[in-house]
Amino acid sequence: MRKFHAIVLAQIFFSSYAIADTKLECVGENGEQRLLRQAPSGASRISQHILEVKHSKGVKRFTDKPPHEELSGEHWEYCGYSENVKLHLIHHQTEGSFSGSILFEETGKVLSAGHTVIVSPDKQKFLAIVQEDGMDGENWSLFEMSGKKLWGGYAGVLTRISGNNYDSVYAQFENPYFNADQKLSAKVVCSNQSNKGTVSLTKIGDKWKWLPEIKC
């Protein structure tokens, strides 16, 4: 039997500027029935494998696909609602991929996202975090609120070790947030567990790069 997830809604504050991100996160187990009550227009599981979420413009249904087992099939679960950004988060699990979608309460629009979503303080961008079963680390994607993808990739730095046919983790990113300039930022931890400070995702020309350059 697959495990269910609950949500943590938090305002994350950084620096003396008291910049606040809005974080929606599917965590824990067995909290869906309580979380369904957060939906301002109503939400319910109309059958064991059909989730119905009402919004200001209508109704959206999310239907599971068999086999109905953990790490198999396709499964949806309601993770909660943030009044601050007027978003619902719905967990989406497919064949070992732990992701999610966001539903806009005011329009009914649905966008692919992640099991965790962090919305920038100016509400213009969001980070979506996806976990693949067996992967050492996460995949992050930065989107505009329209759904346009700005950047996506591994949450860290990979390096090819001489003589091997696979990449090794050089450093990983942790605790993502948006800084005072509305840039996506994160703490860096090298594979030797030394902490190398903070990096920010910066657009240079038509390319995105994490700066400053990471040297472990």
Side-chain angles (χ1 to χ4, degrees):
M1 181 66 67
R2 65 191 177 95
K3 294 180 180 179
F4 292 108
H5 295 248
I7 197 170
V8 172
L9 297 177
Q11 298 293 317
I12 309 174
F13 293 88
F14 291 91
S15 82
S16 60
Y17 296 99
I19 304 230
D21 295 326
T22 298
K23 183 177 183 179
L24 302 92
E25 183 177 17
C26 293
V27 297
E29 301 176 19
N30 303 319
E32 187 183 54
Q33 287 301 313
R34 174 179 56 83
L35 294 164
L36 287 168
R37 294 193 289 270
Q38 293 183 359
S41 300
S44 63
R45 189 163 286 279
I46 62 174
S47 72
Q48 184 178 359
H49 297 295
I50 301 177
L51 171 65
E52 181 178 273
V53 182
K54 297 179 181 178
H55 54 85
S56 297
K57 300 296 183 180
V59 177
K60 292 289 185 181
R61 287 185 177 180
F62 302 86
T63 303
D64 297 346
K65 295 180 181 179
H68 302 301
E69 299 173 358
E70 190 172 3
L71 302 183
S72 298
E74 181 177 9
H75 306 285
W76 299 90
E77 184 178 358
Y78 191 76
C79 285
Y81 177 75
S82 169
E83 176 62 30
N84 183 50
V85 290
K86 293 180 170 48
L87 291 178
H88 304 261
L89 179 63
I90 297 97
H91 187 255
H92 189 203
Q93 178 185 318
T94 57
E95 302 297 338
S97 176
F98 300 92
S99 183
S101 290
I102 52 174
L103 168 62
F104 290 76
E105 169 65 20
E106 295 181 334
T107 66
K109 184 176 181 178
V110 176
L111 296 178
S112 295
H115 63 70
T116 298
V117 170
I118 300 177
V119 181
S120 62
D122 63 4
K123 303 179 184 179
Q124 298 300 304
K125 298 185 291 291
F126 69 89
L127 170 69
I129 300 176
V130 174
Q131 177 70 57
E132 302 292 339
D133 187 44
M135 174 182 278
D136 185 8
E138 301 166 329
N139 286 323
W140 291 1
S141 296
L142 179 65
F143 294 90
E144 292 180 350
M145 293 304 289
S146 65
K148 179 183 177 181
K149 188 173 183 178
L150 301 174
W151 172 88
Y154 179 73
V157 179
L158 300 173
T159 185
R160 181 61 57 92
I161 298 176
S162 178
N164 292 336
N165 294 321
Y166 59 89
D167 291 329
S168 178
V169 177
Y170 183 69
Q172 288 186 322
F173 302 151
E174 297 181 352
N175 303 321
Y177 65 97
F178 288 90
N179 66 19
D181 295 322
Q182 307 296 324
K183 289 183 178 180
L184 178 63
S185 302
K187 301 298 182 182
V188 179
V189 177
C190 295
S191 58
N192 61 11
Q193 297 304 305
S194 62
N195 190 322
K196 288 295 180 178
T198 301
V199 290
S200 296
L201 186 61
T202 305
K203 191 173 185 180
I204 302 176
D206 60 351
K207 297 184 180 298
W208 292 86
K209 188 173 182 179
W210 289 95
L211 296 176
E213 184 177 351
I214 301 165
K215 294 183 179 180
C216 293

